[in-house]
Amino acid sequence: GAGVSQTPSNKVTEKGKYVELRCDPISGHTALYWYRQSLGQGPEFLIYFQGTGAADDSGLPNDRFFAVRPEGSVSTLKIQRTERGDSAVYLCASSLMSSYNSPLHFGNGTRLTVT
Amino acid sequence: KNQVEQSPQSLIILEGKNCTLQCNYTVSPFSNLRWYKQDTGRGPVSLTIMTFSENTKSNGRYTATLDADTKQSSLHITASQLSDSASYICVVQSGKGQNFVFGPGTRLSVLP
């Protein structure tokens, strides 16, 4: 696979449920980012990994949101006790390194709908 | 506060015409400015990346300009095609690491 892969592409869940969103970055990319995008808005930063560790999680809105990247490649964004306001497209991006001038490569996102 | 503003919010043009999208930013420190194209239902795709010392960069029919003094950038699209219909997002990276500031995007519609 040449690009960033995100699964599932769509997820519908009931309020209060737990969801996991998966991101497979481009092989060899050490930097991985999660963003949330609402309709008509630009992506909003959630969390950034450099390798296995979360280098910056300041964008996570509250403690219901958590993300892991245990082996430095695949990452999972976990949302507990989902709320209707969590409905959005969750985008994952990876880059070769975090230094400037490295382009971000985005996946096509997971559209989360909380009913 | 670091911010990126874009104008217009939306734009409709006829196929074959040119257009220019604007981006103003207040981001410090500045590392680079990027333009992304986002098709409906897809993730953003990088068009250009410009550092402080670059004031023009082209990618096919897309030409981005950067004026670091006035903190303005533009994206010019030449001879538009139907496939150019998308949102165009201006992004400024501040320092290294994760600090990307995204604009809200300009929604471009190219009509036949």
Side-chain angles (χ1 to χ4, degrees), chain A residues 9-49:
Chain A
S9 55
N10 281 283
K11 176 71 177 178
V12 180
T13 190
E14 292 180 348
K15 179 176 178 292
K17 298 292 186 183
Y18 167 83
V19 296
E20 289 190 352
L21 312 180
R22 178 188 167 104
C23 173
D24 279 88
I26 293 173
S27 178
H29 281 195
T30 57
L32 184 145
Y33 308 77
W34 282 100
Y35 292 90
R36 179 167 68 176
Q37 187 174 28
S38 299
L39 192 63
Q41 308 276 329
E44 169 195 4
F45 170 73
L46 295 176
I47 187 169
Y48 155 60
F49 287 90

Side-chain angles (χ1 to χ4, degrees), chain A residues 75-97:
Chain A
S75 177
T76 305
L77 178 65
K78 308 180 181 191
I79 310 175
Q80 298 177 322
R81 305 183 303 281
T82 52
E83 300 177 356
R84 292 193 181 88
D86 299 335
S87 297
V89 174
Y90 288 81
L91 291 168
C92 176
S94 69
S95 68
L96 193 56
M97 58 186 70

Side-chain angles (χ1 to χ4, degrees), chain A residues 33 35 37 40-45 48 56 58 91 98-109 111, chain B residues 31-32 34 36 38 41-46 49-51 54 89 93 95-98 100 102-105:
Chain A
Y33 308 77
Y35 292 90
Q37 187 174 28
Q41 308 276 329
E44 169 195 4
F45 170 73
Y48 155 60
D56 186 345
S58 62
L91 291 168
S98 65
S99 62
Y100 81 128
N101 273 358
S102 292
L104 293 177
H105 298 267
F106 284 87
N108 286 329
R111 180 175 297 279
Chain B
S31 282
N32 57 68
R34 306 161 181 233
Y36 282 83
Q38 185 174 24
R42 309 287 290 221
V45 174
S46 180
I49 301 176
M50 287 185 292
T51 59
E54 298 173 296
I89 303 174
Q93 184 175 14
K96 294 184 179 181
Q98 74 76 22
F100 295 95
F102 286 78

Side-chain angles (χ1 to χ4, degrees), chain B residues 51-100:
Chain B
T51 59
F52 186 88
S53 59
E54 298 173 296
N55 52 28
T56 301
K57 184 164 278 189
S58 291
N59 178 357
R61 296 180 294 103
Y62 301 102
T63 299
T65 66
L66 173 64
D67 185 333
D69 291 331
T70 61
K71 298 187 177 181
Q72 295 180 324
S73 175
S74 66
L75 181 69
H76 186 75
I77 304 175
T78 304
S80 61
Q81 299 177 358
L82 299 179
S83 60
D84 293 332
S85 295
S87 287
Y88 291 84
I89 303 174
C90 177
V91 186
V92 178
Q93 184 175 14
S94 179
K96 294 184 179 181
Q98 74 76 22
N99 201 3
F100 295 95

